[in-house]
Amino acid sequence: MRQVGMITIGQAPRTDVAPIVEKYLEGRAELVQAGVLDGMALAEINANLSPGPGDYVLTSRLVSGESAVMARERIQPILQRKINDFEERGITNILLLCTGVFPGLRAEQSFLIEPDHVIPPVVATMAKGRKLGVIVPLPEQVDALRDKYSPHGLDPVFAVASPYKHDPQAYQTAASQLKGEVDLILLDCMGYTEEARQLVADLTGLPVILSNAIMAKIVSEMI
């Protein structure tokens, strides 16, 4: 059976998100997972990979269910090694399970599928001039993410609710900030689940786009 590699910037396996991807693979390919933070304890992550002033901030899930906050600048070399490892194993389709921007990532032979290259233009086409709302995990991410959307003619209204905190009140607050201000909403993290999408849709009455579902559909077309 063919294999699809999926690299989380947290720890594998991603039992929260993998079922979404596997649903679209429909048994035609085996999902092989790896994580940038595999084998690391939270204390080690906090000591060595935490963001400093001016760093690009990211967050992801550990196998314990906890979340970690990291600097892109500190994890990107590890991420590149994970890509190289998959290529050495002969895996030809590699999905990055993160919507953050990683300049300079490369694969020599495989298709490296980076959500930040795919989601903004797709969402811009879906929006067709309507006002976009974007929910992100951390307030520190808002300013950096504006630059991801502006080249596509988008100026989103941002709100914050982490997919890793299990805090319904955060979703209610984010929904109340966006309702009446936007026409559709993107959940801009690969950690949001179908349950989160449905909750935001119910709270706002608006169409809600799930990032990992878009990427899973695209990957399924490549096998």
Side-chain angles (χ1 to χ4, degrees):
M1 181 180 290
R2 299 186 66 178
Q3 294 180 322
V4 172
M6 185 174 79
I7 305 175
T8 173
I9 62 167
Q11 292 178 339
R14 286 296 300 268
T15 55
D16 54 337
V17 175
I20 297 172
V21 179
E22 289 172 328
K23 179 178 75 171
Y24 290 99
L25 295 180
E26 296 177 330
R28 292 178 290 126
E30 176 191 3
L31 186 66
V32 181
Q33 301 186 52
V36 168
L37 305 181
D38 285 353
M40 299 185 194
L42 183 56
E44 179 185 359
I45 296 164
N46 291 339
N48 298 315
L49 302 176
S50 290
D55 283 341
Y56 187 103
V57 179
L58 298 163
T59 186
S60 192
R61 184 180 186 270
L62 309 183
V63 291
S64 64
E66 299 171 287
S67 61
V69 177
M70 305 146 285
R72 175 185 66 189
E73 292 76 6
R74 299 188 181 189
I75 69 166
Q76 184 152 335
I78 308 172
L79 175 56
Q80 183 62 59
R81 290 198 295 272
K82 298 291 182 176
I83 294 168
N84 298 345
D85 289 345
F86 271 168
E87 286 207 286
E88 290 173 4
R89 293 171 60 178
I91 295 174
T92 56
N93 290 297
I94 302 171
L95 170 63
L96 174 58
L97 196 71
C98 179
T99 60
V101 179
F102 289 89
L105 286 180
R106 65 193 183 279
E108 300 301 327
Q109 302 292 332
S110 303
F111 290 107
L112 178 61
I113 308 158
E114 299 181 67
D116 79 282
H117 294 177
V118 175
I119 292 173
V122 168
V123 171
T125 300
M126 296 171 71
K128 295 181 180 178
R130 293 179 290 175
K131 190 65 176 178
L132 176 68
V134 176
I135 297 180
V136 298
L138 300 171
E140 304 96 300
Q141 296 176 310
V142 171
D143 288 341
L145 287 177
R146 291 190 188 281
D147 293 339
K148 185 168 74 170
Y149 293 100
S150 58
H152 303 280
L154 296 170
D155 181 22
V157 178
F158 286 91
V160 175
S162 174
Y164 306 121
K165 296 299 185 183
H166 309 291
D167 182 2
Q169 183 58 51
Y171 284 101
Q172 292 175 6
T173 300
S176 66
Q177 291 170 346
L178 296 177
K179 187 175 182 179
E181 300 294 326
V182 303
D183 302 301
L184 74 163
I185 296 170
L186 170 69
L187 301 182
D188 190 359
C189 176
M190 296 292 273
Y192 292 109
T193 62
E194 173 58 30
E195 289 76 16
R197 189 204 66 78
Q198 189 61 56
L199 175 60
V200 175
D202 290 343
L203 289 169
T204 61
L206 296 172
V208 179
I209 303 166
L210 189 59
S211 293
N212 52 42
I214 289 177
M215 298 310 303
K217 291 174 185 177
I218 289 172
V219 170
S220 73
E221 295 299 319
M222 300 180 70
I223 60 173

